Structure formats: structure tokens, C-alpha cells
Amino acid sequence: MARPTQTKGWKVVETSPNADAAADWSFFADPARKPESRGALRPVLVQVKSGKIDTLEQRIAAFAQEQGPRKPGPKVKVPKAYRANPGRERGRDPVTRGGDTLYSVLADEALFELMRQQSGSGDPEHPRNDLFLAAHGPILPEDSLGDETQRDPVQLPNTAPAEGVVVTAVIDTGLPFLNDCFRSQNGAPRVRYAWVQDGLFRNAPPSFVPFGREFEAADIADLFARYTTAGIMDELAAYREAGLADFGRPRSHALGRRVTHGAHVASLAGGYPRAEDRTDNPLIFVQLPNLVAADTSGASLAPYLLSALDYIVDRADRIADDLGCGQLPLAINFSFGGTGGPLDGTSAVEERMDALLKARNKGKQKGKTTIVLPAGNAHQSRGHAKMKQGEAFQGPNPSQTLTWRIQPDDHTASFVEIWTPNCTKNDQLIEVVLHAPQGLAVSPAVQQGADASFELVLDSQTIAKISYTYVPAPTRRGKFTLTVAATGRSGGTHDLAPSGRWKIEVRDVGLPTGSHVDAWVLRDDELPGFDTDARQSRFEDPAYKRWTPEGFPEQEDNGHSIVVRAGLQNVIGTGTEPVVVGGYIDRSGALPAYTAGGPTNTANRPGPDAVTVADDSKVHRGVVGSAVLSGGKVTLGGTSVAAPQVTRALAGVLATGGKADRAEVAAMAQADDPARFPNRAPTPGAARGGEGRLQLSPQAARRYRPFG
Amino acid sequence: MTRVKPQSAYSAYSAYSAYSAYSAYSAYSAYSAYGGLPVAPYVAPALITNRDGIVGAYAPPAQVPAPLPTDDPQNFKLWGAQVRESLLTYELVSRIGFTMDGDTAQAWHLETNGQTSGAAAPTATYHPLMKMTRPSEDQFRDQLEYIDNYADLRNDRWIEIEAQLDLPTAFFGSIAFLDPGRTPYTYQLVLAALHLAHFTEMQFKNALACRRPVEFSPQMQAIIPTPQHGTLPSGHATEAHIVAMVLDHVLEASGNPVYADVSWRAQFFRLAARIAVNRTVAGVHFPVDSAAGASLGMTLGAYFVARASAKPSMPPMTASYTAWAFDGPAFSGDFRPETMFDLVTNRQTATTGTSDLGVQSINADQQSPTLNYVWEKAIAEWA
């Protein structure tokens, strides 16, 4: 193949301080990006400096105006929920970050281009202008967009909730709301609201969601009625009509599969046999778009997750309103996670969860709303390098080189984040250099101070990128993002990055005594049932010991390697409020090799809060839960399935008037672990075991009566 | 003797002998242990020497046996299982006519009069049975999208797909006790129905000559070899639906209150739909093929039951069936089995692409005593 012009070497590209590195790569640098997505709307998180909701669109228009004439200007749609009466925004407050406000809106790519051209404002603590693109989501299908109808939020009286009633909410993929385990005895749906975020938008009757499709209990009951003949329900046909098992529309057939993550998780969180008639446990489901679930880096998650949380809180209040009572207890399960981030609770998603929980848990409502997250399965991923000042950085020009092994035939980009200790914008603590394999090229040393980025360009296509940005309060850390393009493809003619050992050189130019630098490989694997062809990269170090002398996977760090297992806990699990749950193996009581833990970068989170069963035994992996269709059973393991069991248990605690906060989970673990594991492994350490093990249901019962 | 096999016979891939359905009968033969040979090795020479040793001089017998009645179903029990199968197949296939009109193929029921009396030639009347019009190449191309999306289920379904390369009897036998030893006459009826389906579907496939997905796109990449006959109608869909229809009627006709519960029917038809869809998952059929096949299978199933259950001793016109049409050009979208059949009335229902051509009556005087004999024995097996 002819190569007309060779343009090897580094090119310095001016970065926008107004967009996060993942969005920047996705829209401007990635050689595999598709031009036909321009103009399409997608959810984004926009950070507005001291902005008010109603003027967001005006600020964006003014921003565009300032940049000069442009055709066409950016399209922005603000969800109606943000337009609600400002005095009545309970539970829907946008996240604040150091005085700025984060909104999840729909916008097109023209917005990013404008932000990219924004130059710094000169303010050392707030280098950005009025708007910053904090995160982006993948494009929604055209038919998932429409005109949302505005509706006032409900005002609940300040009275007690209906006795014994607890709302359980699940955010996940493929949630089968017609499944028998989500029905009451007389067949009525227990799922009161289900939002499919990439479903077909319906303009008539009116939609009260900003995109996708909502199913209310009446819609679900109607599907039951019309697809039941002589007492026999044809669920697949009903999902087909609902557009959820539609093999004629791309990525719309999650509920045509036998197994989905969401079906299993939701059944553990809130599935019960019909005979138990659990009308006192109404359910709310939010189904993430297929593309968001497939992107395991989590880069595209934030806008959808924030919208999901807003939705859940609103609908939980509507359930209370229907009952004529005060705010109901609410247990939310979100069995997703990734790696990377500051791990100190200051990421946008973590702040939102903390803010939401604190807003709902005031006064008599203390401990009545909870979010449960998994600790993550990244313990063996070799995705964390911890470089301590004085130890890792040796010699007169102290530096440490990390080997970053990038897999061949990886169809998605690979990312590493390097976070400095807390500092100010102008502090110079480290410099980072990126070396491509086989001496192909070396980047300039990227310093702290001004936001900057450099791209490695081959044949006019970007192969790798290194960028630096300062993340202001409350995080107050420098963040280096290293991106390497895909090393494989199944279409297109763009060049590929070389796979193999890339090297990241980190130089100590001013680290405070006793501090450390964290490097993270972002999660980048392909989930079963998806077709991203992603392959996970990792750090390598000869001193990292993978196996014990007996041949088992080593689970403890030996202190000799900078690549560590410690601290690979879920990137969104370091806020102060949510409950974080890891896993153990029921038969032995020992921890499986994968369950991740701390320590993190906040003293508040030495590890998960507790652990519960993720595998029945080493041979019987996983835990039995529901398949998509009624009557089907499937086993799935991992911390994803531990979390919903705790969600279920906490709903039980809430139903009897108790609290569902971290303190409660700690107390449950402290009671269970010493008492119920006499002939099994000793109590695990706090870094991965938290306050201890929870035996929420007897072993034998769970295998044969998974919802009992 | 030609042995008839449904579609799987022509797939070299099938690890299961196409005769596996028949091997149940060979179980009764002491010879079955000998690797499928009709006789054990060395039996013939043993019989030669043995006869030599015991026969003595030939002397004609004094008594002759009573003659068997001619053409009498009571003789049926004397013939071997494979012979009975051949007789049943003849009864069915000999009454199917076939014509072609442009893009429309039509199967007919041949009603003969005067067949059983005297030496005169039978007279014949043809009644509509099933009509099928071929979809356009553009329609097939639009349907490729479904095959691409259904490929997502390949990991879920490949084990079933391989097991379903052969006859579906094992799958139906896991729902109700259909078994060559336990319900031999029902089993025989089901095999006969499968033969009817096979002969009829092959005529349609040949006449309509529709290309397979692999001929439209290199990206279908079916996980089993694409069979060497036309894609529409789907043979698996036809066969699975004829068995569902026939079995359901047998169970209902047995009078056993257990089988009056509609859930038996529901499971049979869900299975038939799943077998059909699995072929799209495998990448060898379009959804429209399954719709055409399901319609044909249900039509033939009801027709089969009408022919088999009508009693010659009853007044004429006691049996009837409904003829159907499948209009390929009118079809669009996915195969939606729930719209094609009514669980409560146990009848095919008109939907996208299918329409009812009206009730056809069968002259019961000319019914097949052979079929009826087996039918009566079969329904008694479920009492």
C-alpha cells in the first residue's frame, strides 16, 4: 500500500482546557472516529461556573457568540427536570464542584469544538471559562430523542412513610420487567416505573423522560393482559412489541437473549416468588443504553447515570405520593464499576451520589436512602502502580519507568491515568514521558502548570496522545492521561498503534515527602454479549508475583513491586455515603482472587464496607439468579452479584424501620462474621473484606430457591 | 426401497444418522448390534449348514393357512414398522398435487372417487391446500439485518441448533411422552406427518427457488453448512409446526382431561417457534422463511388430522380442513409466531403475509383406512 507522506514524530497540539481527555480523544484525535456521527445529540456533563439552571442555554449561546460567527451553532437540549421550580428541586439538585454546577444535557459535537478553542482565563484556581465538558455519553439513536413533556415534581408531606413499604431501584442492562419474579400474587407488576434510556421515544402519550422510553405500571399491566392467553404469558412476544427484543433495530434486543447482567442482578435485588406477594416492595428499573454498558472504561457513563439517579428519586416520590405518605425508604443498586480516577470521592459521579444521599437522608430520614455498589473485580488486573516518593523514585534525577503492555488486536483505545498528590495549579511535582515500543518515538516531557497535550502522529494519523490537566477543587490534583489508539480493527483504513510494551517514565521534580503518585490502567475489556473486541492492557513488572509457590493466584502484594493489587476498588466507590460490597466464596469463606479493595486515597474508605457471597464454591462459580424469561435460571458471579444481595437485605432492614447506611452494614458484618463462619476461613483483612462477611441466606437455600 | 428423510438427510454434516428415528425399530431386531447390517455376519452360512442338518426330505404340507383379507388395515399389525411407515407415506403423498403460476406455487389435495369399487379408474377432484408466492430479492436483502442481529444469540443457541439438525422428535418427546416404545402408533403418525411435510416443502422449495442468505452477503457466516435446497419455506419450521399441530390434536382427541390444559399446546408451539428461529440464529434462514414454513406446517398439520381422523363409516363430508395462502410480497418484519396461531381455538390465524383460502371438505367415503387405523391406535395411547 502506498504511503505518500511520512510524518513521523511528535506534534504539539494545543489542548482545550474545556474538555476532558476521553471526550477530546473520542471527538478529535481517535483515528477510528466516524465522521457521520456529527450533528447527533448525546448526553454530556457540562460544568457551569456559578451557573443557574434556567440560563444554561443562554450561557452556551453566549459562549458560542463570543467565539465568532459559526454555522451552525451548537445544539443543546436541557432536560425538563432542570427547569422545575427552583424552590422545589429536592433530590434533583445538580452536583456542585467547587462552586461550579454540573448538568447532564443533550448536546452535539459543535459544542465540543467551541470548547476546544477556548483558552484559559488566567485564574490560577479556575483555569477554565464558564463551561467545561466533564464527560460525554455515546450518541443516542435518532428515534430515542423527542420532546419531553414538563411535569412538576411531587411535593410530599413531612409525614411518615407507609409502614413496611420500601422502594428498590436497579440501574443495569437488560432489565426484564415482565419476569414473574417481579409480579405480585394477583399478577400485577411490582415494577412501577421502568426507563429504557435508548428505547424508542414516544411522543403520544406524552413522555416524561428526556430520551428513550418509560414504561409505567399501567403499560406493563397492559402488556401482561394482551400477551396472556388462558393463563399463559408470552413474554418474548411482549418484549418484541415493547421494542426490547427487536431484532430489526440495532442494539435493541437485550431482552431477546437468554441471560443479561441486569436480569440476574435485579432478581437478587428485588425478585420474589409471586406467592410472597411483595406489594410492599415496589421496583424502579433504569436500563442503560447498550453502548454505555459496553464501554467498560466508564468514560461515557456519567451523564446517563446522573439522569438515572434523578429519575429514580423523582419516581420514588411519585410512588409515595400515590400512597399519600411521606418520603419512602429507597435502596438503589448499581452493579457497575471501573478503574482509574482520583479515588478520593471527588469524581463527578461520586459527588452526585453523596449529594443525593445527603439531601434525602436529612433528619428523620437519616439512613433511609442508600446506594449499593460493587467493589469491582479488578484485583488481579495489574492495573495499578503506586509510586512512593523516595522509594520508587531513585537517583539524582529521580524517575520511575512503568511498562505498559498493550494487547494486539485490541479494537478500542487504551488509557492510563496518572494522578499527582494534592497540589495547586502551578505546583510542579512530576513530569511524564511516553515512549512508544521499539524506540519508535518519545514524547516531550509533559509538565504540570499549563494544560497541554502532545500527539504521536504517524502518516498524519494520531497513534497516541499524552495530555495534562489540573483538576481543581475539590479534587486539587494534576491528571496526566495517556491514550494509545486501537491495535486492531475489523474495518476502515486508519492506521493502528503498535502493540507491545509502551513505557511511561515518571520523573520526581518536586514530590512532597511521604506522598505517592498513582497510575491506573482504565478498564478496557469486552463484556459477554457485547462486540467491542476490547482487550485489557496492564502494567508489567518482573517483581510482581502472580502465583504462590503452590500455584494458586497470588492475592497479596509483597511490597517489592510498584505494580500493586491494592487500591483497585471501584472507581466510583470512594464517596462518603454509598455502600460498597465485595465478594467471598460461600463454601470456604475465603475471598475469590478477583474481589478488589483498598486502600484508597481517602481515609474514609480503607476498603469495601463488607463482603457477601459472589461464588457458591470454587467449583460452583457464581450465584443462581433469574434469566431473562420467567422460569429461567442462570449463574453469574463477581462482586456485581454480591451488591444486590446487600441491597435486598437493606430493603428488609428499611422495611422494619431501620437504617440502610454504611454504619448499618458495618454492624451487620461485625455481627455475622465472628458468629457464622466457625469452620471456614478466618475473617479477611479490612482492605478487601471491609468490616467482615455477611451470610445473608443459607447456602443450600440459595441454590434451590434463589429468590428466597 | 427408497427411504424418505426430511431436510437433514441431505446435510453431510449431520453426525446423527438420518435413520436415527428409525433405529428405534431396529432395536427390536437382534441384528442391531452388528453395526447396522441387516443381518448378523455368519447367520446365512449358519442357516445353510443348519438346514442341511435338520431338514430331511421335502414333503408338501397337508393344510394351507387361511388367506389374509386383501387391503385390510387389520393386516397392518403384521407388517414391519418400516413397511407401515412406507404405506402411510404413500397414503399422504399420493394425494398431493402441485401447480405453478408465475411466482406462485400451489399444493392441492387430490380427492378420488370410486377408488375402492370395481376395476374402473378413479376419478379425481383437486381441492386447494396451500399457496405460496415468492418474496422479492429486495425483501430478502432487507431481511439480512435480522440475521445479523439474531447472530447475537449464537452462543446461546448453538447446542440446540446442532441437536436440531435431526428430527425434532426428541424435543417434542421431552414435553410429552412421545416415544417409540411407549407410544409407537403416535410415533408412527408423527413420522408420517414429517414425510408429508418433507415432500410438500421440497416441492415448494424447488418451485420457488429462493436463494439462501449466504448468496446475498459474505457476512452471514452461518454456523452450520447451508443446506442444498431453496430457503423458502423453511423445512425446520414446516416440520416443527406440523408435529406440534398433529401431536396437539392427538392429545386432545384422546379425551384425557390432563391434556385438555392449554399449556401442553402452548409448549408444543413455543418449541416449534424456537426451532424455527434457531435456523435464523444459525444464519441459514430469513425470518420470512420461518413464517412461510410455520404457515405451511400448520396447514398441513390440520389437513393431516382431517384425513387421519375422518371415519369411513360415518356420513360423507365429516372432515374438513382450511386452505391457506402465504403471500411473500406482503410480508415484512420479523417472524412473529404469536400472531400466527390462536392457543385457545387451536387454529392458525391470518397475519402479515398469510390469508385463509376457505374451508375445504373431504369426502369421508374415500378416507384412508390405513391412516385411520393408526390414528385410532395413537389416540388410545394417551388415554
Side-chain angles (χ1 to χ4, degrees):
Chain A
M1 187 163 73
R3 289 180 165 219
T5 316
Q6 298 233 9
T7 318
K8 286 197 182 180
W10 292 97
K11 183 172 95 180
V12 175
V13 170
E14 183 187 335
T15 194
S16 164
N18 287 52
D20 96 316
D24 201 50
W25 174 263
S26 183
F27 299 127
F28 302 110
D30 188 349
R33 67 190 178 281
K34 294 186 178 62
E36 56 270 13
S37 66
R38 294 181 67 80
L41 290 175
R42 72 188 75 216
V44 297
L45 275 193
V46 179
Q47 186 168 325
V48 182
K49 185 170 174 174
S50 308
K52 287 206 171 16
I53 300 165
D54 289 341
T55 56
L56 176 61
E57 276 172 326
Q58 293 156 16
R59 295 179 79 88
I60 288 174
F63 185 89
Q65 198 73 5
E66 284 160 23
Q67 308 314 308
R70 190 159 186 90
K71 44 182 197 308
K75 287 190 292 189
V76 176
K77 267 177 111 149
V78 178
K80 300 284 169 59
Y82 288 139
R83 298 199 192 283
N85 186 331
R88 299 156 70 191
E89 288 174 65
R90 224 180 74 210
R92 214 159 34 259
D93 301 328
V95 178
T96 56
R97 309 200 70 205
D100 296 356
T101 316
L102 270 169
Y103 299 99
S104 177
V105 303
L106 292 171
D108 74 347
E109 278 184 32
L111 181 65
F112 312 148
E113 286 190 2
L114 289 170
M115 289 180 163
R116 194 176 209 221
Q117 284 161 26
Q118 182 65 43
S119 55
S121 71
D123 175 350
E125 282 300 308
H126 292 283
R128 297 179 191 84
N129 278 347
D130 283 0
L131 300 175
F132 177 80
L133 180 65
H136 72 293
I139 301 165
L140 285 164
E142 191 75 43
D143 49 17
S144 287
L145 299 170
D147 286 319
E148 183 191 2
T149 300
Q150 184 164 357
R151 182 168 67 172
D152 282 341
V154 294
Q155 273 295 91
L156 294 178
N158 191 10
T159 54
E163 185 161 344
V165 177
V166 176
V167 180
T168 296
V170 180
I171 306 169
D172 215 295
T173 65
L175 290 161
F177 50 76
L178 298 175
N179 195 296
D180 217 53
C181 69
F182 307 125
R183 295 177 79 167
S184 55
Q185 188 166 40
N186 66 359
R190 291 174 45 229
V191 178
R192 300 288 299 277
Y193 297 98
W195 181 22
V196 179
Q197 291 185 321
D198 58 356
L200 285 166
F201 194 90
R202 190 170 59 169
N203 283 302
S207 284
F208 300 110
V209 287
F211 43 84
R213 166 78 191 273
E214 178 180 31
F215 296 86
E216 299 196 17
D219 298 317
I220 299 173
D222 180 59
L223 285 170
F224 283 142
R226 285 189 295 107
Y227 284 91
T228 303
T229 309
I232 296 164
M233 172 77 192
D234 191 344
E235 280 162 63
L236 185 57
Y239 287 135
R240 221 199 305 271
E241 180 191 300
L244 303 172
D246 182 351
F247 289 87
R249 180 176 181 254
R251 298 185 203 91
S252 302
H253 56 264
L255 296 181
R257 310 184 67 92
R258 187 176 81 90
V259 175
T260 60
H261 187 265
H264 189 276
V265 165
S267 71
L268 292 178
Y272 290 94
R274 275 176 68 168
E276 292 195 28
D277 203 24
R278 297 301 306 271
T279 52
D280 58 352
N281 182 217
L283 304 170
I284 300 174
F285 286 169
V286 180
Q287 182 166 312
L288 296 170
N290 185 290
L291 284 174
V292 169
D295 177 8
T296 51
S297 76
S300 45
L301 175 64
Y304 290 95
L305 177 58
L306 265 62
S307 296
L309 292 170
D310 289 344
Y311 172 85
I312 287 169
V313 157
D314 177 86
R315 298 306 192 262
D317 284 351
R318 287 180 196 278
I319 295 173
D321 193 47
D322 284 345
L323 292 170
C325 65
Q327 181 177 302
L328 285 168
L330 172 60
I332 303 174
N333 190 88
F334 183 55
S335 278
F336 275 73
T339 54
L343 243 73
D344 58 8
T346 64
S347 74
V349 161
E350 292 172 302
E351 290 215 307
R352 176 64 184 128
M353 290 193 285
D354 280 349
L356 181 151
L357 289 172
K358 284 177 183 158
R360 276 183 74 88
N361 287 335
K362 292 196 175 101
K364 280 192 267 193
Q365 295 289 345
K366 180 166 158 44
K368 300 299 184 183
T369 297
T370 190
I371 297 176
V372 183
L373 304 169
N377 307 329
H379 192 61
Q380 302 287 9
S381 66
R382 287 178 273 173
H384 182 201
K386 187 165 179 171
M387 294 165 277
K388 294 184 191 155
Q389 184 276 332
E391 290 179 30
F393 303 95
Q394 299 287 338
N397 295 311
S399 74
Q400 174 64 246
T401 298
L402 281 172
T403 300
W404 182 19
R405 165 81 66 179
I406 296 189
Q407 303 287 351
D409 203 33
D410 176 10
H411 292 217
T412 59
S414 301
F415 293 86
V416 159
E417 286 178 2
I418 299 179
W419 290 84
T420 70
N422 291 122
C423 61
T424 68
K425 199 231 172 201
N426 288 326
D427 284 339
Q428 300 276 344
L429 305 187
I430 58 172
E431 289 177 355
V432 178
V433 181
L434 177 63
H435 300 250
Q438 301 138 31
L440 187 69
V442 180
S443 78
V446 179
Q447 299 173 324
Q448 294 183 255
D451 287 0
S453 80
F454 301 90
E455 290 179 6
L456 166 61
V457 175
L458 283 178
D459 298 336
S460 310
Q461 295 188 6
T462 305
I463 298 301
K465 182 162 180 161
I466 174 170
S467 61
Y468 171 77
T469 190
Y470 176 73
V471 183
T475 305
R476 291 199 187 86
R477 297 175 192 268
K479 176 182 165 190
F480 294 81
T481 306
L482 296 97
T483 312
V484 173
T487 62
R489 59 170 143 78
S490 51
T493 54
H494 53 274
D495 274 352
L496 301 172
S499 61
R501 283 178 289 201
W502 291 67
K503 293 204 188 288
I504 303 169
E505 190 190 335
V506 183
R507 299 175 184 161
D508 177 355
V509 297
L511 283 170
T513 310
S515 67
H516 71 271
V517 174
D518 285 309
W520 304 96
V521 178
L522 296 196
R523 186 174 173 193
D524 182 25
D525 55 346
E526 180 189 74
L527 296 177
F530 295 88
D531 62 354
T532 55
D533 292 316
R535 301 196 68 205
Q536 180 71 58
S537 59
R538 58 174 185 260
F539 293 132
E540 287 189 344
D541 177 10
Y544 179 92
K545 195 149 150 293
R546 294 185 64 199
W547 311 104
T548 66
E550 298 82 14
F552 295 110
E554 177 61 73
Q555 299 197 31
E556 304 301 322
D557 293 320
N558 59 11
H560 296 316
S561 174
I562 54 166
V563 180
V564 292
R565 294 169 179 80
L568 279 158
Q569 186 163 303
N570 192 344
V571 62
I572 58 170
T574 58
T576 56
E577 307 303 303
V579 173
V580 178
V581 179
Y584 73 86
I585 300 171
D586 204 4
R587 179 181 280 269
S588 60
L591 300 185
Y594 57 78
T595 187
T600 62
N601 286 330
T602 164
N604 156 60
R605 290 271 184 194
D609 290 293
V611 291
T612 194
V613 176
D615 293 294
D616 277 343
S617 72
K618 272 196 175 161
V619 170
H620 288 114
R621 307 298 294 273
V623 165
V624 179
S626 179
V628 170
L629 297 180
S630 299
K633 306 273 189 300
V634 67
T635 47
L636 280 182
T639 57
S640 276
V641 313
Q645 294 175 65
V646 171
T647 307
R648 184 194 197 88
L650 289 176
V653 168
L654 289 167
T656 58
K659 298 189 180 61
D661 51 18
R662 296 177 61 195
E664 174 66 28
V665 173
M668 287 164 64
Q670 285 155 6
D672 256 10
D673 195 308
R676 302 181 67 177
F677 295 78
N679 297 317
R680 291 188 271 177
T683 305
R688 295 168 70 209
E691 296 294 319
R693 293 163 294 187
L694 297 164
Q695 185 86 56
L696 297 171
S697 59
Q699 280 173 289
R702 191 180 45 257
R703 189 163 295 144
Y704 296 107
R705 288 185 61 236
F707 312 130
Chain B
M1 175 172 72
T2 311
R3 295 242 179 93
V4 176
K5 287 161 43 169
Q7 78 296 332
S8 63
Y10 302 101
S11 162
Y13 181 83
S14 173
Y16 301 94
S17 157
Y19 301 110
S20 64
Y22 308 106
S23 68
Y25 294 99
S26 69
Y28 300 120
S29 157
Y31 308 141
S32 66
Y34 300 101
L37 293 174
V39 292
Y42 306 122
V43 172
L47 287 170
I48 293 169
T49 56
N50 184 71
R51 179 177 185 272
D52 235 43
I54 66 172
V55 70
Y58 172 68
Q63 190 69 25
V64 296
L68 294 170
T70 54
D71 198 28
D72 189 330
Q74 294 303 317
N75 290 337
F76 220 59
K77 57 185 175 297
L78 303 176
W79 313 143
Q82 283 148 3
V83 174
R84 293 203 291 266
E85 199 168 317
S86 174
L87 293 172
L88 284 176
T89 302
Y90 172 84
E91 285 296 322
L92 294 160
V93 178
S94 64
R95 303 310 179 88
I96 303 292
F98 208 82
T99 58
M100 192 75 189
D101 175 19
D103 269 7
T104 300
Q106 182 152 14
W108 305 82
H109 165 64
L110 170 60
E111 186 178 68
T112 60
N113 304 299
Q115 185 187 21
T116 60
S117 62
T123 58
T125 319
Y126 280 95
H127 299 271
L129 175 55
M130 182 80 196
K131 196 193 279 197
M132 234 181 244
T133 311
R134 172 163 98 165
S136 69
E137 304 314 277
D138 280 340
Q139 278 179 281
F140 282 123
R141 191 209 29 221
D142 289 344
Q143 294 251 302
L144 292 170
E145 169 111 29
Y146 285 94
I147 300 177
D148 180 52
N149 283 327
Y150 268 108
D152 238 18
L153 303 189
R154 285 179 180 185
N155 265 324
D156 280 2
R157 307 284 185 100
W158 70 270
I159 288 178
E160 291 168 41
I161 289 167
E162 290 207 345
Q164 286 162 3
L165 286 171
D166 200 3
L167 303 181
T169 42
F171 283 81
F172 283 97
S174 86
I175 294 173
F177 212 151
L178 173 71
D179 175 87
R182 176 65 174 250
T183 55
Y185 284 96
T186 309
Y187 200 82
Q188 196 140 62
L189 215 58
V190 165
L191 292 181
L194 286 169
H195 285 301
L196 171 62
H198 169 75
F199 276 111
T200 314
E201 87 210 11
M202 282 302 162
Q203 289 299 313
F204 278 111
K205 283 172 182 276
N206 174 57
L208 297 176
C210 299
R211 293 185 186 275
R212 291 270 180 177
V214 70
E215 303 188 69
F216 286 81
S217 163
Q219 291 181 296
M220 295 296 105
Q221 295 176 26
I223 60 173
I224 53 174
T226 298
Q228 295 164 32
H229 35 77
T231 202
L232 185 142
S234 156
H236 272 75
T238 309
E239 287 157 35
H241 281 82
I242 198 176
V243 174
M245 192 65 108
V246 168
L247 260 185
D248 178 53
H249 276 94
V250 167
L251 264 56
E252 187 181 38
S254 74
N256 187 334
V258 169
Y259 301 121
D261 188 321
V262 73
S263 62
W264 295 90
R265 178 178 304 148
Q267 294 298 329
F268 289 148
F269 280 90
R270 280 193 191 180
L271 170 60
R274 190 175 176 93
I275 290 173
V277 170
N278 279 351
R279 301 293 282 179
T280 298
V281 174
V284 297
H285 273 295
F286 301 95
V288 63
D289 307 341
S290 297
S295 181
L296 174 61
M298 289 191 279
T299 305
L300 290 177
Y303 164 73
F304 177 99
V305 169
R307 287 208 61 204
S309 60
K311 291 190 195 315
S313 58
M314 301 194 65
M317 310 298 184
T318 55
S320 61
Y321 66 90
T322 305
W324 282 82
F326 182 81
D327 185 7
F331 183 87
S332 67
D334 200 358
F335 167 53
R336 297 177 59 219
E338 67 275 7
T339 64
M340 296 185 72
F341 180 71
D342 185 323
L343 276 180
V344 173
T345 62
N346 188 8
R347 293 194 188 290
Q348 191 177 162
T349 51
T351 181
T352 315
T354 66
S355 57
D356 176 337
L357 291 181
V359 174
Q360 318 291 320
S361 295
I362 299 180
N363 185 339
D365 266 355
Q366 308 308 323
Q367 280 320 287
S368 159
T370 317
L371 271 174
N372 195 249
Y373 175 84
V374 179
W375 172 266
E376 292 297 327
K377 292 273 192 213
I379 63 177
E381 287 173 338
W382 301 89

